[in-house]
Amino acid sequence: SSAASDVYKRQGKLSRSEVKLFPRLAAAFDEADTDGDGFVSYAEVRAFAAKYRAERDRQRAAAQAAATSAAPAAPPPAPETRP
């Protein structure tokens, strides 16, 4: 039987070894497995993905803000001088 059918038989849950196919999720398996049953359900994966995307978006916004504030400001225009 395929891994996909095995997952389906377990009502849509992935084991730690199956999650190795998804490096970000595998690295945070224990965090994603919120009920501690040794599997991540579809709902747990969705919650983890939403949390991951929100954190990624926060980091991107912070990096963009830092890059914007670190950009050198344009020098003020030179005063006009008249002879």
Side-chain angles (χ1 to χ4, degrees):
S1 76
S2 72
S5 66
D6 291 344
V7 169
Y8 183 76
K9 288 176 190 172
R10 281 197 313 273
Q11 300 174 359
K13 293 185 176 187
L14 295 170
S15 69
R16 185 180 299 273
S17 62
E18 292 163 333
V19 168
K20 288 180 185 177
L21 299 172
F22 310 98
R24 288 184 190 119
L25 182 57
F29 186 88
D30 292 329
E31 179 184 348
D33 180 19
T34 57
D35 64 6
D37 68 352
F39 297 93
V40 287
S41 67
Y42 181 67
E44 287 171 321
V45 170
R46 285 184 56 160
F48 173 80
K51 182 178 178 181
Y52 173 82
R53 279 191 302 271
E55 180 60 29
R56 182 193 61 202
D57 292 347
R58 275 193 297 276
Q59 289 174 354
R60 283 183 180 169
Q64 189 174 25
T68 301
S69 66
E80 280 189 40
T81 57
R82 297 188 181 224

